[in-house]
Each structure stands twice: as structure tokens, then as C-alpha cells.
Amino acid sequence: MAVELDPQLMDILACPSDDHAPLRAGTATDPAADVLTCTECGRAFPVVDGVPVLLLDEAIQPADPPTSGAVGG
């Protein structure tokens, strides 16, 4: 189920880390995930019963990005 929060709330929610970047619903690979993802650091914050849990200790750390320039062969 995709996260459905009030658009005005989404406008003011931000990542609790020092960069305070905006959040987007879902993840890059799963837009229907019940999480809010930081647009800067990539942490995913769970949404439980419609309430975002914006605690750094509860955040899902982003996966390591793939190495650029690596060519299989």
C-alpha cells in the first residue's frame, strides 16, 4: 500500500538528519512502499498506521550505490 499523507504535511516534513532535506513517498525501487525517503541522504523512514516514524534510529539505511564505471565482461 502506498503512503497517502496530506499534501500540506508532505510539504513541511523533512529528514531529521542535519541536512533537513524533503521527503518523498516510497523508495526509488518501490514507489508503493510504506516509507518516506529522504531526497538527500536516502534514508527510508517507516510509516506505521499512517504515522511517519521520523527517528534516525528507526530509519532504514540506503543500500550502497552501484560502482560506476564497472563493466562486466
Side-chain angles (χ1 to χ4, degrees):
M1 174 187 292
V3 174
E4 292 184 23
L5 296 175
D6 185 304
Q8 290 179 332
L9 179 61
M10 287 299 295
D11 285 343
I12 60 173
L13 286 178
C15 181
S17 69
D18 292 337
D19 51 23
H20 303 293
L23 299 169
R24 70 173 186 278
T27 66
T29 57
D30 185 6
D34 285 335
V35 297
L36 296 177
T37 303
C38 178
T39 57
E40 183 68 29
C41 68
R43 288 182 182 98
F45 298 92
V47 177
V48 180
D49 295 330
V51 179
V53 180
L54 298 178
L55 300 171
L56 290 173
D57 291 342
E58 299 291 324
I60 302 162
Q61 297 299 320
D64 291 331
T67 306
S68 62
V71 178

